[in-house]
Amino acid sequence: GQQLNQSPQSMFIQEGEDVSMNCTSSSIFNTWLWYKQEPGEGPVLLIALYKAGELTSNGRLTAQFGITRKDSFLNISASIPSDVGIYFCAGQDEKLTFGTGTRLTIIP
Amino acid sequence: NAGVMQNPRHLVRRRGQEARLRCSPVKGHSHVYWYRQLPEEGLKFMVYLQKENIIDESGMPKERFSAEFPKEGPSILRIQQVVRGDSAAYFCASSPRQRTGRYEQYFGPGTRLTVT
């Protein structure tokens, strides 16, 4: 089956630092999505990417859809405490195939 | 605007009982998806439904699990004769069908099923 691998698995950063995480797939997807999940809640959509090479921003978040359609990265600039959570990438072909997640922790 | 609603938020069942999970999509969305999440893992697709139709159930276990999305009312995920391995968080997502082909999925808060 399709697999999406995310890295890193976890990150420990200080407030104000920039964050970068990426996601690779063994298959091509036409749409990539990035979600954030907090404890006890459902995933919240952050950014959607539709075209290979597309670079999209949403506030302090920036994501790019790889040219090969098999990878994507998400950057968060100037992290703040509310950025804490688990970030998932997902490839879409009707249904979503989720990545393994990156857990972001901010060190006080 | 109400988002995706799921109830109950928490459900405890003894082994052998039935579990019924409900999902009301975003108003105007006609497509519903169910996903399961085990602790410390990503979400795994189970089933995709449109009103009165199952479109893709490739992620559903062959036995004990069923889903429906009737013309009126919420979508229901039903698990018969639950076992401990069914303990997980079950999420519903809904999406519109747009001419552009862009149909992001929006998730509900989930139902956490515990089988004792």
Side-chain angles (χ1 to χ4, degrees), chain A residues 60-76:
Chain A
R60 294 179 296 106
L61 277 60
T62 302
Q64 184 159 29
F65 192 170
I67 291 291
T68 63
R69 294 181 174 271
K70 288 186 174 183
D71 63 297
S72 176
F73 72 74
L74 174 71
N75 288 341
I76 305 172

mmCIF file of all heavy atoms in Angstrom, chain A residues 60-76:
data_model
loop_
_atom_site.group_PDB
_atom_site.id
_atom_site.type_symbol
_atom_site.label_atom_id
_atom_site.label_comp_id
_atom_site.label_asym_id
_atom_site.label_seq_id
_atom_site.Cartn_x
_atom_site.Cartn_y
_atom_site.Cartn_z
ATOM 1 N N ARG A 60 2.270 32.374 9.184
ATOM 2 C CA ARG A 60 3.664 31.988 9.405
ATOM 3 C C ARG A 60 4.007 30.627 8.803
ATOM 4 O O ARG A 60 5.139 30.164 8.926
ATOM 5 C CB ARG A 60 3.941 31.964 10.914
ATOM 6 C CG ARG A 60 3.859 33.328 11.587
ATOM 7 C CD ARG A 60 4.115 33.247 13.104
ATOM 8 N NE ARG A 60 3.080 32.460 13.767
ATOM 9 C CZ ARG A 60 3.264 31.225 14.235
ATOM 10 N NH1 ARG A 60 4.437 30.629 14.114
ATOM 11 N NH2 ARG A 60 2.282 30.589 14.837
ATOM 12 N N LEU A 61 3.056 29.990 8.193
ATOM 13 C CA LEU A 61 3.264 28.667 7.593
ATOM 14 C C LEU A 61 3.495 28.788 6.089
ATOM 15 O O LEU A 61 2.807 29.563 5.409
ATOM 16 C CB LEU A 61 2.029 27.787 7.824
ATOM 17 C CG LEU A 61 1.893 27.051 9.144
ATOM 18 C CD1 LEU A 61 1.855 27.993 10.331
ATOM 19 C CD2 LEU A 61 0.654 26.177 9.143
ATOM 20 N N THR A 62 4.449 28.014 5.604
ATOM 21 C CA THR A 62 4.721 27.932 4.172
ATOM 22 C C THR A 62 4.892 26.466 3.803
ATOM 23 O O THR A 62 5.584 25.732 4.515
ATOM 24 C CB THR A 62 6.004 28.696 3.799
ATOM 25 O OG1 THR A 62 5.877 30.054 4.200
ATOM 26 C CG2 THR A 62 6.242 28.631 2.290
ATOM 27 N N ALA A 63 4.261 26.048 2.725
ATOM 28 C CA ALA A 63 4.392 24.663 2.289
ATOM 29 C C ALA A 63 4.652 24.621 0.792
ATOM 30 O O ALA A 63 4.220 25.517 0.048
ATOM 31 C CB ALA A 63 3.134 23.868 2.624
ATOM 32 N N GLN A 64 5.374 23.605 0.363
ATOM 33 C CA GLN A 64 5.634 23.431 -1.074
ATOM 34 C C GLN A 64 5.319 22.007 -1.491
ATOM 35 O O GLN A 64 5.585 21.047 -0.752
ATOM 36 C CB GLN A 64 7.081 23.771 -1.425
ATOM 37 C CG GLN A 64 7.352 23.703 -2.941
ATOM 38 C CD GLN A 64 8.559 24.490 -3.364
ATOM 39 O OE1 GLN A 64 9.498 24.657 -2.609
ATOM 40 N NE2 GLN A 64 8.528 24.996 -4.604
ATOM 41 N N PHE A 65 4.794 21.882 -2.681
ATOM 42 C CA PHE A 65 4.462 20.608 -3.305
ATOM 43 C C PHE A 65 5.620 20.271 -4.244
ATOM 44 O O PHE A 65 5.938 21.034 -5.139
ATOM 45 C CB PHE A 65 3.163 20.808 -4.099
ATOM 46 C CG PHE A 65 2.502 19.557 -4.596
ATOM 47 C CD1 PHE A 65 1.225 19.646 -5.145
ATOM 48 C CD2 PHE A 65 3.099 18.320 -4.549
ATOM 49 C CE1 PHE A 65 0.572 18.517 -5.615
ATOM 50 C CE2 PHE A 65 2.462 17.193 -5.018
ATOM 51 C CZ PHE A 65 1.196 17.298 -5.553
ATOM 52 N N GLY A 66 6.278 19.148 -4.033
ATOM 53 C CA GLY A 66 7.444 18.801 -4.817
ATOM 54 C C GLY A 66 7.149 18.599 -6.291
ATOM 55 O O GLY A 66 6.043 18.193 -6.669
ATOM 56 N N ILE A 67 8.152 18.852 -7.107
ATOM 57 C CA ILE A 67 8.008 18.737 -8.562
ATOM 58 C C ILE A 67 7.603 17.317 -8.981
ATOM 59 O O ILE A 67 6.831 17.127 -9.918
ATOM 60 C CB ILE A 67 9.331 19.122 -9.259
ATOM 61 C CG1 ILE A 67 9.582 20.620 -9.099
ATOM 62 C CG2 ILE A 67 9.298 18.761 -10.737
ATOM 63 C CD1 ILE A 67 8.613 21.486 -9.866
ATOM 64 N N THR A 68 8.123 16.335 -8.283
ATOM 65 C CA THR A 68 7.828 14.941 -8.637
ATOM 66 C C THR A 68 6.458 14.482 -8.135
ATOM 67 O O THR A 68 6.029 13.368 -8.423
ATOM 68 C CB THR A 68 8.891 13.991 -8.040
ATOM 69 O OG1 THR A 68 8.821 14.077 -6.609
ATOM 70 C CG2 THR A 68 10.283 14.361 -8.521
ATOM 71 N N ARG A 69 5.777 15.328 -7.354
ATOM 72 C CA ARG A 69 4.497 14.991 -6.730
ATOM 73 C C ARG A 69 4.632 13.884 -5.685
ATOM 74 O O ARG A 69 3.638 13.274 -5.284
ATOM 75 C CB ARG A 69 3.446 14.563 -7.759
ATOM 76 C CG ARG A 69 3.036 15.667 -8.699
ATOM 77 C CD ARG A 69 1.977 15.188 -9.682
ATOM 78 N NE ARG A 69 1.491 16.283 -10.494
ATOM 79 C CZ ARG A 69 0.471 17.057 -10.159
ATOM 80 N NH1 ARG A 69 -0.191 16.849 -9.046
ATOM 81 N NH2 ARG A 69 0.102 18.040 -10.948
ATOM 82 N N LYS A 70 5.847 13.647 -5.239
ATOM 83 C CA LYS A 70 6.063 12.593 -4.245
ATOM 84 C C LYS A 70 6.591 13.150 -2.933
ATOM 85 O O LYS A 70 6.953 12.388 -2.038
ATOM 86 C CB LYS A 70 7.056 11.568 -4.785
ATOM 87 C CG LYS A 70 6.511 10.679 -5.890
ATOM 88 C CD LYS A 70 7.527 9.603 -6.236
ATOM 89 C CE LYS A 70 6.969 8.611 -7.238
ATOM 90 N NZ LYS A 70 7.941 7.540 -7.518
ATOM 91 N N ASP A 71 6.656 14.476 -2.795
ATOM 92 C CA ASP A 71 7.148 15.020 -1.547
ATOM 93 C C ASP A 71 6.629 16.429 -1.313
ATOM 94 O O ASP A 71 6.176 17.114 -2.243
ATOM 95 C CB ASP A 71 8.679 15.008 -1.525
ATOM 96 C CG ASP A 71 9.259 15.884 -2.614
ATOM 97 O OD1 ASP A 71 9.030 15.594 -3.803
ATOM 98 O OD2 ASP A 71 9.926 16.872 -2.266
ATOM 99 N N SER A 72 6.718 16.849 -0.056
ATOM 100 C CA SER A 72 6.272 18.183 0.327
ATOM 101 C C SER A 72 6.992 18.575 1.604
ATOM 102 O O SER A 72 7.409 17.711 2.375
ATOM 103 C CB SER A 72 4.761 18.187 0.561
ATOM 104 O OG SER A 72 4.316 19.456 1.015
ATOM 105 N N PHE A 73 7.178 19.869 1.808
ATOM 106 C CA PHE A 73 7.698 20.317 3.095
ATOM 107 C C PHE A 73 6.790 21.389 3.669
ATOM 108 O O PHE A 73 6.033 22.057 2.953
ATOM 109 C CB PHE A 73 9.142 20.820 2.970
ATOM 110 C CG PHE A 73 9.290 22.152 2.267
ATOM 111 C CD1 PHE A 73 8.928 23.352 2.881
ATOM 112 C CD2 PHE A 73 9.817 22.211 0.992
ATOM 113 C CE1 PHE A 73 9.058 24.571 2.228
ATOM 114 C CE2 PHE A 73 9.955 23.432 0.336
ATOM 115 C CZ PHE A 73 9.575 24.606 0.958
ATOM 116 N N LEU A 74 6.884 21.529 4.996
ATOM 117 C CA LEU A 74 6.143 22.564 5.724
ATOM 118 C C LEU A 74 7.131 23.319 6.599
ATOM 119 O O LEU A 74 7.904 22.703 7.328
ATOM 120 C CB LEU A 74 5.049 21.949 6.600
ATOM 121 C CG LEU A 74 4.294 22.926 7.509
ATOM 122 C CD1 LEU A 74 3.382 23.830 6.685
ATOM 123 C CD2 LEU A 74 3.461 22.169 8.551
ATOM 124 N N ASN A 75 7.127 24.631 6.488
ATOM 125 C CA ASN A 75 7.942 25.485 7.352
ATOM 126 C C ASN A 75 7.050 26.330 8.232
ATOM 127 O O ASN A 75 6.017 26.834 7.777
ATOM 128 C CB ASN A 75 8.839 26.409 6.507
ATOM 129 C CG ASN A 75 9.969 25.661 5.828
ATOM 130 O OD1 ASN A 75 10.316 24.555 6.217
ATOM 131 N ND2 ASN A 75 10.520 26.259 4.794
ATOM 132 N N ILE A 76 7.475 26.501 9.469
ATOM 133 C CA ILE A 76 6.793 27.402 10.404
ATOM 134 C C ILE A 76 7.842 28.415 10.857
ATOM 135 O O ILE A 76 8.896 28.041 11.372
ATOM 136 C CB ILE A 76 6.238 26.667 11.634
ATOM 137 C CG1 ILE A 76 5.326 25.513 11.210
ATOM 138 C CG2 ILE A 76 5.471 27.632 12.542
ATOM 139 C CD1 ILE A 76 4.880 24.618 12.365
#
